Amino acid sequence: MAGAAREVLTLQLGHFAGFVGAHWWNQQDAALGRLAGAKELPEELCPDVLYRAGQTLHGQETYTPRLILMDLKGSLSSLKQEGGLYQDKHLDAAIAWQGKLTTHKEELQAKNPFLQNLLSAEGVMSSDGVWRVQAFPSGKDIPSLTRAFPSNPKSLIPPEGSIKVWSDFLHVQLHPKSICIIQKYNHDGEAGRLEGFGQGESLLQEPTYLEELEDRLHFYVEECDYLQGFQVLCDLHDGFSGLGAKATELLQDEYAGRGILTWGLLPGPYTLGEPQKNFYRLFNTALGLVNIAAHSSLVCPLSLGGSLGLRPEPPVTFPHLRYDVTLPYHSSALLATALDTITVPYRLCSSSISMVHLADMLSFSGRKVVTAGASIPFPAAPGHSLPDTLAQFGGTIPCTPLSACGEPSGTRSFAQSVVLRGVDKTRQTSQISPGTSPSSPLHACTSGEEVLAQYLQQLQPGVLSSSQLLLSPCRVVPPYPRFFSSRLNQQGLILDGTHNGTAVETIPVLTTLCSSSLLHRALGRLAGELANLDLRRWASFLAAGVEQDDMEETIQELHNLAQCYKDGDSLIN
């Protein structure tokens, strides 16, 4: 890989985080397939930032995510906790006991058709019990999803009804150190659920789970040459918010000076008919945001819902998508696509921006909570240049808000990181004939990077902005959901009429990561909703390890955070 990798270790904490992570890693794998099979685009992103090279005990080379994943009992379906790359029936531990033995074996669930097809394409189990991965011309032994089924793409699309858990559509092979299952709590059923912040917090106060996490952290960190930090995908709506708070505290204590970027995930909108679940969601979200922000370089809530609190708001919409917000398979795909572009600055092959630099730029003056937005896909049309496309938006950035904090209109940005990917080199600037005056300052720019930077400066003069422009688009090959408008062509560009050709394979994407006065309103409202509740009605939540004083302190901390975003020039109160 080009250049020295600045490694990142990813933590996924929770079941919805598993959904987002499964799409995330599938997209990384699809990008690896493009790099191996096509040379028309330069290698802009360094996969070694997220992946690690290894070797099985049989000498087979592997390339697996640098990942620690924590979820509950019953969340793996047919996926084995130790993964499939390193299995070996000859390495089972010898049993010294000579007496009578009783074996209790839990039957694995059958793989859905998608995973069955995938498994048969990737390799076979040999007679000696060793998994043999098919070799591919690219030189890498780990097959990419985009190379596995070149002639039958429909077999790669899992029926939506077959997807119950994230492992039902995860394509990427994981290292045995990746998956950590919390046996104390159940994923399914009404009993034994990880519902409250206090429950999750107490898990990492138990030696068993604390040592499990520390062991896995040391395994991955010690093999890194230059660890730039950790990206934490953490559920905020349930007890994993508490586990995430303790995990980020551990990272801050053990790895001072490294970046810790936490993405607080919330599934689709809630229903008013479940009051206890909704109040737990509110409590967990508030406690999680405050405590995780205290131990992270940056924290960003991510959701397709319209509100962090109890006030019902409609989910966000995308003009060229027909997604179902109630399906985690759909909503997590969109959040993963946004993350894949938002995180570009610290994954580039050649860039001076690290996780710490990105966080420092956005979080000055105590503003450690940021919001995200995305244009999926970025509304570009064939034959239109980037200056033409941006000029038609007028005075706005065409982004859908992804942080459940409301619409950003009328607010002021303090700092922002903007990434646009998937714009062909020939369309990045305006092709002006000699002697012709440019129709706007954007059309006079000589590079795509200059076009994007000048557009942001025109929209928000004086705002600290960092912008990146990439040639490579975001790949959305199966098992990514097929929810695109019929007006999109194979490259995700918008046509005048209906397109009846091949399925969308790539899309241009624009994302923003922003510190703005919008958070003054959003965090203040969240604090206000908490303050108006009678906590004595929810004794079960307090009994799970959170005290009344903790809640009062959280309300005050939310008010303090909100004040960091107050701006006298903004149009909101």
Side-chain angles (χ1 to χ4, degrees):
M1 302 299 173
R6 301 172 299 169
E7 301 97 339
V8 169
L9 174 55
T10 302
L11 279 72
Q12 290 171 205
L13 310 176
H15 198 67
F16 189 59
F19 267 88
V20 176
H23 280 299
W24 161 277
W25 294 113
N26 285 346
Q27 288 185 303
Q28 306 313 309
D29 183 79
L32 283 175
R34 182 199 65 76
L35 289 175
K39 302 300 181 185
E40 70 274 10
L41 293 177
E43 186 176 347
E44 296 170 304
L45 299 176
C46 177
D48 290 345
V49 172
L50 299 174
Y51 280 76
R52 62 178 296 278
Q55 195 174 66
T56 68
L57 294 174
H58 299 280
Q60 187 175 27
E61 292 185 357
T62 62
Y63 199 55
T64 53
R66 191 177 294 107
L67 168 68
I68 299 173
L69 181 157
M70 300 185 79
D71 207 340
L72 306 180
K73 181 171 62 176
S75 62
L76 294 184
S77 186
S78 60
L79 178 66
K80 293 183 178 180
Q81 183 171 343
E82 66 275 13
L85 286 177
Y86 291 75
Q87 57 189 338
D88 186 347
K89 69 180 182 181
H90 297 310
L91 296 179
D92 291 340
I95 300 175
W97 173 253
Q98 299 299 316
K100 185 178 179 180
L101 293 174
T102 302
T103 302
H104 299 273
K105 185 177 180 180
E106 183 178 0
E107 292 297 325
L108 285 175
Q109 296 186 35
K111 297 182 184 295
N112 61 35
F114 162 69
L115 291 177
Q116 291 175 10
N117 289 334
L118 186 62
L119 194 65
S120 64
E122 287 189 338
V124 295
M125 180 70 74
S126 62
S127 59
D128 61 356
V130 179
W131 180 256
R132 304 293 184 188
V133 178
Q134 288 187 12
F136 285 81
S138 67
K140 284 192 180 296
D141 286 335
I142 303 304
S144 166
L145 181 142
T146 54
R147 286 170 277 152
F149 297 97
S151 60
N152 187 18
K154 288 187 177 180
S155 63
L156 282 171
I157 305 175
E160 291 179 356
S162 70
I163 297 173
K164 307 299 182 184
V165 294
W166 53 263
S167 54
D168 285 337
F169 64 94
L170 175 68
H171 163 257
V172 177
Q173 297 278 10
L174 301 181
H175 189 274
K177 286 285 188 183
S178 282
I179 301 177
C180 176
I181 293 300
I182 299 168
Q183 300 291 341
K184 185 175 180 178
Y185 295 104
N186 297 318
H187 167 63
D188 285 318
E190 296 301 320
R193 304 296 296 272
L194 183 60
E195 295 179 307
F197 180 92
Q199 292 171 293
E201 197 176 36
S202 65
L203 277 173
L204 289 189
Q205 294 170 342
E206 296 181 18
T208 301
Y209 295 111
L210 178 60
E211 290 170 7
E212 278 256 24
L213 179 57
E214 288 180 330
D215 173 66
R216 294 162 196 268
L217 284 171
H218 293 159
F219 172 79
Y220 286 114
V221 169
E222 288 171 5
E223 66 182 10
C224 293
D225 294 323
Y226 176 65
L227 177 73
Q228 60 171 311
F230 306 85
Q231 54 183 18
V232 183
L233 280 65
C234 177
D235 288 359
L236 281 184
H237 63 290
D238 57 18
F240 275 101
S241 64
L243 191 147
K246 295 303 290 185
T248 51
E249 182 181 3
L250 173 66
L251 296 177
Q252 186 185 50
D253 291 343
E254 293 283 332
Y255 306 101
R258 309 297 185 187
I260 304 172
L261 303 191
T262 303
W263 311 97
L265 302 171
L266 293 160
Y270 53 86
T271 58
L272 293 176
E274 300 175 307
Q276 178 169 315
K277 187 175 180 180
N278 294 337
F279 283 112
Y280 272 43
R281 174 190 175 113
L282 175 67
F283 294 149
N284 291 325
T285 299
L287 285 161
L289 277 177
V290 166
N291 287 275
I292 291 173
H295 305 299
S296 299
S297 310
L298 208 64
V299 59
C300 177
L302 288 176
S303 174
L304 300 183
S307 169
L308 292 175
L310 294 176
R311 183 179 304 173
E313 299 283 352
V316 298
T317 59
F318 295 83
H320 303 287
L321 302 179
R322 300 183 302 273
Y323 81 100
D324 185 344
V325 73
T326 65
L327 293 178
Y329 172 60
H330 279 195
S331 56
S332 60
L334 292 170
L335 295 181
T337 298
L339 270 178
D340 187 34
T341 301
I342 288 171
T343 58
V344 156
Y346 58 83
R347 297 194 289 126
L348 292 169
C349 290
S350 56
S351 173
S352 59
I353 301 177
S354 67
M355 298 180 89
V356 172
H357 292 141
L358 180 63
D360 286 347
M361 184 192 79
L362 295 169
S363 65
F364 62 90
S365 300
R367 302 180 182 120
K368 295 177 72 173
V369 182
V370 295
T371 61
S375 183
I376 305 174
F378 177 70
H384 288 206
S385 69
L386 180 58
D388 292 336
T389 303
L390 293 176
Q392 72 183 11
F393 300 138
T396 61
I397 297 177
C399 275
T400 297
L402 296 180
S403 293
C405 291
E407 286 290 337
S409 58
T411 63
R412 177 193 170 191
S413 294
F414 305 113
Q416 62 183 354
S417 170
V418 178
V419 179
L420 174 58
R421 63 188 304 181
V423 180
D424 185 78
K425 192 73 173 178
T426 60
R427 295 189 294 113
Q428 290 186 3
T429 57
S430 181
Q431 306 299 318
I432 302 175
S433 303
T436 303
S437 299
S439 57
S440 75
L442 294 181
H443 291 82
C445 295
T446 58
S447 70
E449 290 80 5
E450 185 184 353
V451 171
L452 183 57
Q454 182 154 327
Y455 179 71
L456 296 175
Q457 178 63 24
Q458 287 178 2
L459 288 185
Q460 299 169 324
V463 174
L464 180 60
S465 293
S466 168
S467 59
Q468 305 287 339
L469 181 65
L470 275 68
L471 294 172
S472 56
C474 185
R475 294 188 63 81
V476 289
V477 295
Y480 198 88
R482 304 287 88 190
F483 49 32
F484 295 102
S485 163
S486 58
R487 291 186 59 199
L488 299 183
N489 68 8
Q490 189 174 6
Q491 290 75 41
L493 301 179
I494 301 170
L495 305 176
D496 290 335
T498 301
H499 172 64
N500 295 317
T502 54
V504 178
E505 293 186 358
T506 64
I507 55 173
V509 176
L510 181 133
T511 61
T512 63
L513 196 61
C514 185
S515 172
S516 81
S517 57
L518 173 65
L519 284 156
H520 174 64
R521 176 177 61 193
L523 297 174
R525 284 179 177 175
L526 188 61
E529 289 196 31
L530 274 180
N532 290 332
L533 293 177
D534 183 0
L535 297 179
R536 293 171 297 182
R537 291 184 56 198
W538 307 102
S540 59
F541 187 85
L542 298 178
V546 175
E547 298 181 359
Q548 178 92 21
D549 289 346
D550 295 325
M551 297 304 299
E552 292 175 358
E553 184 179 342
T554 297
I555 293 170
Q556 184 57 52
E557 286 299 321
L558 282 172
H559 280 302
N560 293 343
L561 268 174
Q563 285 299 111
C564 295
Y565 301 90
K566 187 174 183 179
D567 176 61
D569 296 327
S570 69
L571 301 181
I572 63 172
N573 296 317

